[in-house]
C-alpha cells in the first residue's frame, strides 16, 4: 500500500472505525425520528431543490428506501446526518401526510470527528448524487483543507500532490476511481465560473444548466457580451441544448475548426522545440507553406472582426 493510499484510507469508513468487526456491528441500522437528525453544516454546498425532493419522495413512497442514510451519533447523544440529506428531506415531506414516515432507517457511526465527518460527507456525495461541476469542485476544495492539515502534521506527505491525495481519499471512501487530473480539471472549471462568468451565467452553472464546454466557451467572452447573450437566452426561453448552441454561435467558430487549430499549434510547438533545442532539420518548403496558411487564416479572422 502506497503512502497516499495509507493516508486516504484513514478517511474511509473502514479506516475510521474498527476494521476487525463485522459491518453490521460497525454500522448498526436503527430507526430515528427525522426531526431528531440535524443536517451537517457542510451540506450547504449542495442543492436541495424542492422539485428534486418531491420527486425523491414520490420514488420512496412507491419503491421504499433503497439506500440507507449514514448518521453519526454525537457526544451528547444527538444525531447528525453525514450522507442522506435529500432522503431525510423526502421523509420529512412524506411525514406531513403519513406519520409512518416520521422515522427513517439509518446506519449509525460513533467516534467520528468533525474533520472526518466532513470528509465522509463530501466523498459520499461525490458519486452518490448527480453533482454539477460547481458542487464537485466544492467537495474537493473542502477535502483540500483537510489534506493541508494532514500535510502539516505529516512531513512525509510533502512530496505528494494535493490533487492526488484528494482523489485517493474519494476512491478510498467510494471504491470508485478518480484521478488527480480530473480533480484539477473540475476545480479549474469552477474557478472560471467564479472569475469569468457574469452573475446570471454563474447562477445557471450552479444549477447544473451549463456543460463544462459551455463554461469554457463563455469564459472567452467579455462581460458585456455575456449579458447580451443571456438576455437572448432568457427572451427565447432556451433549454440546455439550445443554450449550448447559442454560446457556440456567439463565439463565431465551429468546434472542429477550433480543435484543428489547437492540434496544429501543439504540433508546431513540438517542431519548434526539436529544431531549437535539439538541432532537428526542418523542410524549408514546408515551413513556407505553414507561413502561407497562417497568413490566410489571419486574413479570414480580420475580415470577420
Amino acid at each position: 500500500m502506497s503512502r497516499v493510499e495509507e493516508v486516504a484510507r484513514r478517511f474511509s469508513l473502514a479506516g475510521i472505525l474498527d476494521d476487525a468487526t463485522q459491518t453490521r456491528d460497525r454500522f448498526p441500522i436503527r430507526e430515528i425520528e427525522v426531526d431528531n437528525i440535524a443536517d451537517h453544516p457542510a451540506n450547504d454546498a449542495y442543492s436541495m431543490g424542492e422539485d428534486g425532493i418531491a420527486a425523491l419522495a414520490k420514488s420512496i413512497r412507491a419503491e421504499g428506501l433503497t439506500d440507507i442514510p449514514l448518521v453519526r451519533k454525537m457526544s451528547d447523544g444527538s444525531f447528525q446526518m453525514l450522507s442522506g440529506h435529500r432522503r431525510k428531506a423526502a421523509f420529512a415531506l412524506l411525514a406531513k401526510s403519513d406519520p409512518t414516515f416520521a422515522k427513517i432507517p439509518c446506519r449509525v457511526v460513533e467516534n467520528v470527528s468533525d474533520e472526518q465527518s466532513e470528509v465522509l460527507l463530501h466523498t459520499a456525495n461525490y458519486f452518490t448524487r448527480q453533482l454539477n461541476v460547481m458542487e464537485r469542485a466544492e467537495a474537493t476544495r473542502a477535502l483540500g483543507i483537510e489534506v493541508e492539515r494532514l500535510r502539516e502534521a505529516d512531513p512525509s506527505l510533502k512530496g505528494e500532490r494535493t490533487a492526488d491525495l484528494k482523489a485517493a481519499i474519494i476512491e478510498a471512501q467510494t471504491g470508485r476511481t478518480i484521478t488527480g487530473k480530473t480533480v484539477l480539471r473540475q476545480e479549474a472549471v469552477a474557478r472560471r465560473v467564479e472569475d469569468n462568468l457574469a452573475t446570471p451565467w454563474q447562477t445557471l452553472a450552479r444549477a447544473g444548466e451549463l456543460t463544462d464546454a459551455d463554461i469554457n466557451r463563455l469564459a472567452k467572452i467579455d462581460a458585456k457580451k455575456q449579458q447580451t447573450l443571456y438576455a437572448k437566452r432568457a427572451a427565447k426561453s432556451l433549454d440546455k441544448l439550445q443554450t449550448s448552441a447559442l454560446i457556440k454561435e456567439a463565439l463565431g467558430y465551429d468546434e472542429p475548426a477550433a480543435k484543428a487549430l489547437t492540434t496544429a499549434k501543439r504540433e508546431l510547438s513540438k517542431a519548434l522545440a526539436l529544431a531549437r533545442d535539439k538541432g532537428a532539420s526542418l523542410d524549408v518548403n514546408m515551413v513556407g507553406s505553414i507561413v502561407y496558411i497562417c497568413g490566410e487564416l489571419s486574413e479570414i479572422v480580420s475580415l470577420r472582426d
Side-chain angles (χ1 to χ4, degrees), residues 208-270:
E209 291 300 315
L210 295 176
T211 66
D212 289 7
D214 291 336
I215 291 168
N216 290 333
R217 293 181 184 117
L218 279 168
K220 299 174 183 177
I221 302 174
D222 66 52
K224 186 175 180 180
K225 288 183 179 178
Q226 283 190 37
Q227 295 286 2
T228 301
L229 197 61
Y230 187 84
K232 287 183 180 179
R233 177 194 177 275
K236 296 180 179 180
S237 300
L238 302 182
D239 60 23
K240 188 172 182 178
L241 188 61
Q242 292 168 329
T243 297
S244 292
L246 178 69
I247 295 168
K248 285 183 183 179
E249 182 183 349
L251 280 173
Y253 66 82
D254 58 30
E255 201 67 18
K259 288 181 178 179
L261 284 173
T262 300
T263 300
K265 179 184 176 183
R266 181 174 62 248
E267 295 304 316
L268 286 170
S269 295
K270 286 180 183 178

Side-chain angles (χ1 to χ4, degrees), residues 16-205:
I16 288 172
L17 304 169
D18 181 6
D19 223 2
T21 57
Q22 296 296 315
T23 299
R24 64 176 177 273
D25 296 325
R26 288 183 293 154
F27 317 123
I29 297 178
R30 59 179 288 187
E31 284 196 325
I32 304 173
E33 293 279 350
V34 172
D35 291 341
N36 290 343
I37 305 172
D39 288 341
H40 196 293
N43 196 65
D44 288 346
Y46 303 100
S47 61
M48 294 281 287
E50 292 183 4
D51 290 346
I53 299 301
L56 179 58
K58 184 178 180 181
S59 172
I60 289 172
R61 184 186 290 279
E63 302 173 14
L65 187 63
T66 58
D67 191 12
I68 304 298
L70 180 70
V71 302
R72 69 164 169 160
K73 190 173 182 179
M74 310 293 282
S75 58
D76 62 0
S78 62
F79 298 96
Q80 184 183 70
M81 186 63 72
L82 297 180
S83 174
H85 289 79
R86 295 178 75 253
R87 281 161 280 169
K88 170 178 169 273
F91 262 70
L93 180 62
L94 291 168
K96 291 179 179 180
S97 58
D98 186 343
T100 61
F101 288 97
K103 292 184 177 182
I104 183 171
C106 299
R107 289 196 181 276
V108 181
V109 294
E110 298 186 46
N111 302 317
V112 175
S113 71
D114 291 343
E115 293 82 5
Q116 290 169 329
S117 75
E118 189 163 343
V119 171
L120 286 171
L121 180 145
H122 289 303
T123 52
N125 275 336
Y126 202 89
F127 282 119
T128 58
R129 290 181 56 182
Q130 294 295 315
L131 303 183
N132 62 53
V133 67
M134 300 302 293
E135 290 173 325
R136 286 182 181 268
E138 191 68 32
T140 56
R141 284 172 180 172
L143 292 182
I145 296 172
E146 183 60 21
V147 166
E148 292 310 312
R149 188 191 68 78
L150 282 172
R151 202 189 297 283
E152 288 180 10
D154 188 345
S156 69
L157 294 175
K158 186 176 181 180
E160 303 293 349
R161 293 197 320 161
T162 297
D164 291 336
L165 282 166
K166 291 177 183 179
I169 289 172
I170 292 170
E171 184 170 349
Q173 167 63 13
T174 65
R176 297 177 64 177
T177 302
I178 178 175
T179 66
K181 286 184 178 179
T182 297
V183 169
L184 289 173
R185 179 182 60 78
Q186 291 174 342
E187 291 182 355
V189 173
R191 282 194 297 274
R192 289 190 192 99
V193 171
E194 295 164 348
D195 297 341
N196 303 113
L197 266 59
T199 300
W201 287 113
Q202 286 190 24
T203 301
L204 276 185

Side-chain angles (χ1 to χ4, degrees), residues 267-294:
E267 295 304 316
L268 286 170
S269 295
K270 286 180 183 178
L272 176 61
L274 288 170
R276 183 180 56 202
D277 302 334
K278 298 188 177 181
S281 60
L282 297 174
D283 185 315
V284 175
N285 291 329
M286 180 64 72
V287 172
S289 296
I290 292 170
V291 170
Y292 172 76
I293 291 171
C294 288

